Amino acid sequence: MTGVPASAAGGTGRPAPGGKLGAAAVNQASLWNIANILTMVRLVLVPAFVMLMLQDGGYDPAWRAWAWAAFAVAMITDIFDGHLARTYNLVTDFGKIADPIADKAIMAAGLICLSALGDLPWWVTGVILFRELGITLMRFWVIRHGVIPASRGGKMKTLVQGTAVGMYVLALTGPLATLRFWVMALAVVLTVLTGLDYVRQAIVLRRKGLADERAAEGNGR
């Protein structure tokens, strides 16, 4: 599925020791590798999730359960595709672009559907989507100076966001309905805090990059 010849994996068709393929395999990584296929599955699940979520007016518990299943599968593929791409050197230009789009598309679909149905305040959806769009634009703003790595807080934010949206998708009642409120509250707090941290990192990275450029220009004179 990866398009990597057996010779690139030590002649056995299996990954080289350490679970990583050699440099030759990097150049041979096919568009149709398992990591990209999982990303494509996640993209396809976005419209499927929306259709399931809005069936029968969006309030049928059975359809909501199917929508939750689609959302859960999408979130699970998000965990595995990046790990597989890094571990087996299956990183492609398509994956670099499609993976973050798929991540944000499924989360945005969930939030917008919930707000449109009146299950989630629009300001919550606005805060989360504004943060995600803002950080994406900020990454492009500083990309010539370096890459802002995903932080532990950012990963926790993604996990809590996914859990909260998933709980709201399900037709929960009683204590679980109360619990999901607090999980979503935690998701909003983490969204804001990690967003501010990314802004700080971007400013520091850009200042350092500009300082290095000025120093290089000064040495070149």
Side-chain angles (χ1 to χ4, degrees):
M1 294 293 286
T2 63
V4 180
S7 59
T12 64
R14 295 189 300 272
K20 296 187 178 181
L21 299 177
V26 178
N27 297 328
Q28 295 294 328
S30 166
L31 172 66
W32 296 101
N33 63 61
I34 185 61
N36 284 347
I37 289 173
L38 288 176
T39 299
M40 294 176 197
V41 167
R42 192 155 73 258
L43 286 169
V44 171
L45 283 172
V46 174
F49 164 79
V50 173
M51 288 188 292
L52 291 168
M53 186 72 179
L54 300 180
Q55 282 292 322
D56 290 342
Y59 297 104
D60 186 291
W63 286 112
R64 295 281 285 252
W66 283 108
W68 176 87
F71 183 82
V73 171
M75 297 305 294
I76 290 171
T77 62
D78 180 28
I79 296 173
F80 285 104
D81 61 357
H83 174 74
L84 289 170
R86 290 187 298 272
T87 301
Y88 295 102
N89 288 331
L90 301 176
V91 177
T92 63
D93 290 337
F94 170 82
K96 291 177 183 178
I97 297 172
D99 183 64
I101 291 175
D103 297 345
K104 291 171 176 56
I106 189 64
M107 185 61 66
L111 291 166
I112 292 172
C113 283
L114 289 170
S115 291
L117 293 171
D119 293 340
L120 190 68
W122 276 107
W123 71 264
V124 173
T125 295
V127 166
I128 293 176
L129 295 186
F130 178 79
R131 185 269 192 198
E132 298 301 332
L133 178 61
I135 295 305
T136 299
L137 294 175
M138 189 166 296
R139 286 179 182 275
F140 283 112
W141 180 52
V142 300
I143 195 168
R144 72 187 183 95
H145 302 297
V147 176
I148 304 175
S151 66
R152 185 171 300 178
K155 294 177 182 177
M156 178 62 69
K157 177 269 303 178
T158 300
L159 175 62
V160 176
Q161 275 185 2
T163 301
V165 171
M167 293 179 74
Y168 268 86
V169 169
L170 288 171
L172 300 178
T173 58
L176 288 177
T178 302
L179 176 62
R180 72 182 181 183
F181 169 83
W182 292 108
V183 176
M184 183 60 76
L186 177 60
V188 172
V189 170
L190 288 174
T191 295
V192 173
L193 292 180
T194 56
L196 293 174
D197 183 57
Y198 274 118
V199 171
R200 179 192 63 79
Q201 291 185 63
I203 293 174
V204 170
L205 182 61
R206 187 169 187 274
R207 285 177 177 173
K208 182 178 183 301
L210 292 174
D212 290 343
E213 289 177 1
R214 286 193 292 268
E217 290 174 359
N219 293 333
R221 292 173 181 170

